[in-house]
Amino acid sequence: MIPPQEASARRREIEDKLKQEEETLSFIRDSLEKSDQLTNNMVSILSSFESRLMKLENSIIPVHKQTENLQRLQENVEKTLSCLDHVISYYHVASDTEKIIREGPTGRLEEYLGSMAKIQKAVEYFQDNSPDSPELNKVKLLFERGKESLESEFRSLMTRHSKVVSPVLILDLISGDDDLEAQEDVALEHLPESVLQDVIRISRWLVEYGRNQDFMNVYYQIRSSQLDRSIKGLKEHFHKSSSSSGVPYSPAIPNKRKDTPTKKPVKRPGTIRKAQNLLKQYSQHGLDGKKGGSNLIPLEGHEHDFRVKHLSEALNDKHRPLAGRDDMLDVETDAYIHCVSAFVKLAQSEYQLLADIIPEHHQKKTFDSLIQDALDGLMLEGENIVSAARKAIVRHDFSTVLTVFPILRHLKQTKPEFDQVLQGTAASTKNKLPGLITSMETIGAKALEDFADNIKNDPDKEYNMPKDGTVHELTSNAILFLQQLLDFQETAGAMLASQETSSSATSYSSEFSKRLLSTYICKVLGNLQLNLLSKSKVYEDPALSAIFLHNNYNYILKSLEKSELIQLVAVTQKTAERSYREHIEQQIQTYQRSWLKVTDYIAEKNLPVFQPGVKLRDKERQIIKERFKGFNDGLEELCKIQKAWAIPDTEQRDRIRQAQKTIVKETYGAFLQKFGSVPFTKNPEKYIKYGVEQVGDMIDRLFDTSA
């Protein structure tokens, strides 16, 4: 049961809450009424606004449509006017550009090309819109005239500014191979930079807009002529320099002219000049077996002339002095070798120039045409060298054939650069150099084989045999020829290898070539030895025959030892040196037997036996007289004959004299001691003509025509 006080308090509390709720409810009702009123007002306003907007829209839309139509009409008018202006401009192109086209592009290429662009656009417009209009023909004619002027300008620029490269510049360019700085210094400028840019622009325009390729023919014809003339100018430079000063300017020979660039020397190839110098040396002095010295006596006139006659025949010019002919042959060889190197360098430079001017897909074909004249000239000259060598072989003129060796060596050394330069050219162009190399290898191999056969079969015996038994010109010529092969070992070996039919010959090694060359040299020496044996039989005196063989064998041996020939021979024949020494000793012994007819008279085995103190019988006295007389006559005869013989090698000459002197003096001394005091005659001075030392002095004067 709730106490009354609490119930009363609870009721008051509920009444208060109820009163508050009623007040809140009353407030909400008032708010709703106000909201409804505002809503009604807003709806009324919006309805009025909507009505007004509809009225406005009905008024504006027609005006907007009219304005839009007017704007469209205005744009159409403007476009029409613009098109009319553009079309009208094409009708004025001919008159606006005719003067510029007529005056040509010289000096104002940019403006000229701009005019050509306008004319081209006019042509395209009339072709598309009015193909039958006279204006089309007019602008077409103007365009063609302008194109012809550009072609003419291209030709004119190329002709006026393409210059022949000077020989001195070419030589310096060649010498720059081993010197990068030098190579940069002599870089070729075929066309001035401004001219080059004009040529490039004209070229590109003619290709892109002119639809014309004729200018490429003009380009290669002009540049081909300059390339060919540059190489020919280098060759003429060699000839003129050699005729005026005897020595052409070459980087290998420093020239102190101020206008001549000084560059690193070029390695000049070996030529026959070395052979000629050696020939002169041996013909005047000879070999004495000592390094740095020689004392071979001069050969008789006809023999010396024989050794140099081949060089005169090589040039087929009997009116030019011999030295001049030698120099000319050397100049011809050097000139050709330098022209080959010049072609490679100039062709490389030409391709660099061409690559800037000619479109890429036409570059290889144009370059192929450009180099043909110069390349054909080099190949023709090379074939002429082969032809001349072939004729020289028929004449047995092998010294002339030596010119093929340095040329062939240079061609093979230059071939990698040749191949690189000729990349992309026609197969016929690429095959020209290999074809020439093959021809030279073939003719060189034939020359080597014919030379070996000629050494073996040389028929000249009686009319060209040295009367003094000295070295035969066949021997000296053979040795000189072989010595020249030392400068061209790889070339000569390759020549021989190229003729081999074995499968290994297609990829022969340097060792294989070296063995072939060694075999060849041994063959030549063997043929020479057989021929010398045959020739020696011409001499009626066996002693002179022995001296002849001795001199030739000794000359061969000393020549082999003084050069690298002995090492080359040893590759296939180890005992060659010992064999020659044995042959030399054998001939010395044969010669010494010639003195037996002198010493046999006084040899103890042929002397009469008598008792000391016992008077000689007439028969014994007569025998002693005959022995003295036979010795004296034999000694005088041999000394008279053999004094005119020759042993050029002083060491061998002294050795043979000393050996013979020892034998004769000992035999004569014993004979004189035994019978010099015997009373075998009333006139002893008649029989005892010489003392022992006198006999020695007489033998010391053997092999000495000046004694």
Side-chain angles (χ1 to χ4, degrees):
M1 186 100 181
I2 302 173
Q5 293 85 355
E6 291 182 6
S8 177
R10 180 74 174 170
R11 188 168 50 251
R12 283 194 300 271
E13 183 179 353
I14 293 171
E15 289 176 352
D16 290 338
K17 288 184 178 179
L18 180 61
K19 187 179 180 180
Q20 290 177 357
E21 291 293 337
E22 288 176 351
E23 290 176 354
T24 301
L25 181 61
S26 177
F27 176 77
I28 291 173
R29 285 193 184 101
D30 292 340
S31 295
L32 287 173
E33 290 176 356
K34 289 180 181 179
S35 177
D36 289 341
Q37 185 179 359
L38 289 173
T39 300
N40 292 332
N41 291 337
M42 180 59 68
V43 168
S44 176
I45 291 171
L46 289 174
S47 298
S48 176
F49 184 70
E50 182 181 7
S51 175
R52 292 179 182 181
L53 281 178
M54 289 179 65
K55 291 179 180 179
L56 180 62
E57 183 179 357
N58 293 332
S59 300
I60 291 300
I61 286 177
V63 174
H64 175 72
K65 288 182 178 180
Q66 289 178 358
T67 303
E68 187 177 28
N69 290 334
L70 289 173
Q71 288 177 343
R72 188 178 297 110
L73 289 172
Q74 184 179 4
E75 289 176 0
N76 290 338
V77 170
E78 290 176 353
K79 287 182 180 179
T80 301
L81 290 174
S82 177
C83 288
L84 285 173
D85 290 339
H86 183 67
V87 170
I88 291 171
S89 70
Y90 288 129
Y91 285 86
H92 292 88
V93 164
S95 59
D96 292 343
T97 60
E98 185 175 7
K99 181 181 178 181
I100 296 175
I101 299 303
R102 184 174 63 252
E103 293 176 354
T106 304
R108 50 175 181 178
L109 181 61
E110 195 68 31
E111 181 183 5
Y112 193 89
L113 291 178
S115 297
M116 288 298 294
K118 293 178 182 179
I119 296 171
Q120 184 182 8
K121 289 179 180 179
V123 170
E124 292 172 354
Y125 170 78
F126 288 120
Q127 283 177 338
D128 293 339
N129 299 280
S130 184
D132 298 327
S133 65
E135 285 78 9
L136 174 60
N137 293 332
K138 190 172 183 179
V139 291
K140 268 188 174 181
L141 289 174
L142 198 58
F143 183 81
E144 290 300 322
R145 187 190 305 170
K147 185 171 71 171
E148 290 174 1
S149 295
L150 284 172
E151 293 172 358
S152 177
E153 179 70 4
F154 182 88
R155 180 189 293 273
S156 177
L157 289 174
M158 291 299 303
T159 303
R160 284 187 288 113
H161 296 281
S162 290
K163 306 296 183 184
V164 174
V165 184
S166 70
V168 172
L169 187 58
I170 294 175
L171 289 169
D172 288 336
L173 182 66
I174 297 172
S175 73
D177 286 342
D178 300 325
D179 189 340
L180 295 179
E181 293 183 1
Q183 197 169 10
E184 292 176 359
D185 292 341
V186 295
L188 297 179
E189 183 183 65
H190 294 291
L191 297 173
E193 184 61 28
S194 60
V195 174
L196 176 61
Q197 294 305 318
D198 286 349
V199 169
I200 292 173
R201 292 216 51 193
I202 295 174
S203 167
R204 290 176 180 173
W205 189 93
L206 289 173
V207 172
E208 186 174 356
Y209 303 109
R211 304 291 188 270
N212 188 330
Q213 297 182 6
D214 292 342
F215 78 94
M216 299 180 195
N217 296 332
V218 171
Y219 177 85
Y220 91 70
Q221 289 168 1
I222 294 173
R223 294 309 307 170
S224 175
S225 175
Q226 300 303 326
L227 175 61
D228 192 39
R229 289 170 59 193
S230 297
I231 294 176
K232 288 179 179 177
L234 177 62
K235 184 177 180 181
E236 291 173 3
H237 173 75
F238 273 84
H239 293 165
K240 290 179 181 178
S241 298
S242 63
S243 62
S244 60
S245 62
V247 179
Y249 166 72
S250 170
I253 303 175
N255 190 323
K256 296 182 180 180
R257 294 184 305 166
K258 292 182 179 180
D259 59 341
T260 301
T262 303
K263 303 298 176 188
K264 190 173 181 178
V266 169
K267 295 180 180 178
R268 296 183 56 159
T271 63
I272 65 170
R273 181 180 294 158
K274 181 179 178 182
Q276 295 154 8
N277 292 337
L278 286 171
L279 185 146
K280 293 175 183 177
Q281 173 187 350
Y282 289 132
S283 64
Q284 294 174 0
H285 304 292
L287 292 160
D288 64 356
K290 299 177 182 178
K291 290 185 178 180
S294 57
N295 65 346
L296 180 61
I297 63 173
L299 300 177
E300 295 186 16
H302 71 282
E303 296 166 357
H304 176 76
D305 293 340
F306 178 86
R307 296 185 183 185
V308 296
K309 73 177 182 179
H310 296 311
L311 300 178
S312 62
E313 292 173 357
L315 293 170
N316 296 317
D317 185 356
K318 297 181 180 179
H319 303 290
R320 185 182 296 274
L322 178 60
R325 294 197 299 271
D326 295 348
D327 290 341
M328 175 173 283
L329 190 58
D330 200 25
V331 167
E332 288 287 347
T333 303
D334 275 358
Y336 185 74
I337 287 172
H338 282 82
C339 285
V340 170
S341 295
F343 172 81
V344 173
K345 293 298 180 184
L346 293 177
Q348 289 173 341
S349 182
E350 286 293 342
Y351 192 83
Q352 293 172 358
L353 177 66
L354 176 144
D356 291 332
I357 299 173
I358 305 300
E360 184 176 358
H361 53 287
H362 292 286
Q363 289 174 3
K364 295 296 184 181
K365 182 179 179 181
T366 304
F367 180 69
D368 196 345
S369 300
L370 189 155
I371 63 174
Q372 284 304 313
D373 286 348
L375 181 59
D376 286 344
L378 286 177
M379 296 301 106
L380 178 60
E381 192 170 348
E383 290 298 337
N384 289 339
I385 292 171
V386 172
S387 179
R390 188 176 291 109
K391 294 176 182 178
I393 292 173
V394 174
R395 299 194 307 267
H396 300 300
D397 178 9
F398 298 101
S399 60
T400 300
V401 183
L402 286 173
T403 59
V404 172
F405 284 73
I407 293 173
L408 176 59
R409 179 174 65 182
H410 187 70
L411 289 179
K412 296 180 78 170
Q413 290 173 345
T414 314
K415 186 177 181 298
E417 290 184 88
F418 248 97
D419 293 341
Q420 185 177 5
V421 169
L422 300 182
Q423 280 182 352
T425 57
S428 58
T429 302
K430 293 178 182 177
N431 292 333
K432 286 181 179 180
L433 180 64
L436 179 59
I437 288 175
T438 299
S439 296
M440 286 194 171
E441 282 189 332
T442 301
I443 200 65
K446 178 171 175 54
L448 292 175
E449 292 302 319
D450 282 20
F451 178 77
D453 293 340
N454 187 66
I455 293 295
K456 181 178 180 180
N457 302 319
D458 177 42
D460 193 7
K461 295 180 180 179
E462 297 181 8
Y463 300 106
N464 201 36
M465 291 296 291
K467 296 178 181 179
D468 56 1
T470 190
V471 178
H472 196 280
E473 69 269 11
L474 181 68
T475 303
S476 59
N477 286 344
I479 293 299
L480 286 173
F481 187 87
L482 294 180
Q483 285 175 332
Q484 291 313 290
L485 297 185
L486 288 175
D487 291 335
F488 310 101
Q489 292 186 39
E490 292 184 7
T491 304
M495 285 178 176
L496 296 170
S498 68
Q499 304 305 304
E500 289 292 309
T501 57
S502 62
S503 58
S504 61
T506 58
S507 58
Y508 49 84
S509 63
S510 58
E511 186 63 28
F512 177 71
S513 299
K514 189 174 184 179
R515 290 190 65 82
L516 282 178
L517 184 58
S518 175
T519 302
Y520 171 77
I521 292 174
C522 291
K523 177 182 177 180
V524 172
L525 293 176
N527 290 349
L528 177 61
Q529 186 173 340
L530 291 174
N531 200 316
L532 290 173
L533 285 171
S534 177
K535 289 181 184 301
S536 69
K537 296 176 183 177
V538 172
Y539 296 112
E540 296 179 358
D541 191 336
L544 181 55
S545 177
I547 290 297
F548 170 77
L549 290 175
H550 164 273
N551 284 333
N552 283 272
Y553 291 155
N554 185 64
Y555 178 89
I556 294 170
L557 178 60
K558 292 296 176 67
S559 298
L560 294 178
E561 290 177 336
K562 282 195 170 186
S563 65
E564 296 177 13
L565 280 173
I566 193 65
Q567 289 91 345
L568 201 53
V569 168
V571 172
T572 55
Q573 197 173 100
K574 305 292 186 184
T575 61
E577 185 175 0
R578 185 181 66 188
S579 177
Y580 274 110
R581 295 192 186 282
E582 291 174 354
H583 288 317
I584 291 170
E585 291 301 320
Q586 182 181 354
Q587 298 309 318
I588 292 176
Q589 293 174 11
T590 301
Y591 162 74
Q592 289 176 339
R593 284 197 289 271
S594 68
W595 281 84
L596 290 177
K597 62 182 180 180
V598 176
T599 56
D600 278 353
Y601 279 105
I602 57 175
E604 188 173 353
K605 62 181 180 179
N606 297 325
L607 296 178
V609 179
F610 62 93
Q611 296 296 326
V614 178
K615 185 179 180 180
L616 297 175
R617 297 192 298 270
D618 291 342
K619 183 178 180 180
E620 291 174 338
R621 286 196 296 272
Q622 186 61 32
I623 292 175
I624 295 173
K625 290 178 182 179
E626 290 175 356
R627 295 291 184 270
F628 269 108
K629 186 176 185 304
F631 173 79
N632 293 335
D633 291 346
L635 177 66
E636 291 169 357
E637 180 184 1
L638 284 184
C639 287
K640 180 181 179 181
I641 294 173
Q642 295 184 9
K643 184 176 71 172
W645 297 355
I647 299 180
D649 190 327
T650 55
E651 182 179 340
Q652 288 291 318
R653 183 168 64 240
D654 292 343
R655 175 192 169 196
I656 292 173
R657 283 175 176 171
Q658 186 60 42
Q660 199 59 52
K661 184 168 65 173
T662 300
I663 295 172
V664 176
K665 283 178 66 176
E666 288 180 356
T667 306
Y668 182 64
F671 176 77
L672 195 61
Q673 183 179 5
K674 187 172 184 179
F675 295 100
S677 58
V678 174
F680 63 93
T681 178
K682 295 180 180 179
N683 300 309
E685 65 278 359
K686 179 181 178 180
Y687 297 97
I688 308 176
K689 289 184 177 182
Y690 307 105
V692 174
E693 294 304 321
Q694 282 181 293
V695 170
D697 291 341
M698 292 173 68
I699 295 175
D700 278 336
R701 290 194 292 272
L702 297 179
F703 317 116
D704 187 359
T705 55
S706 63

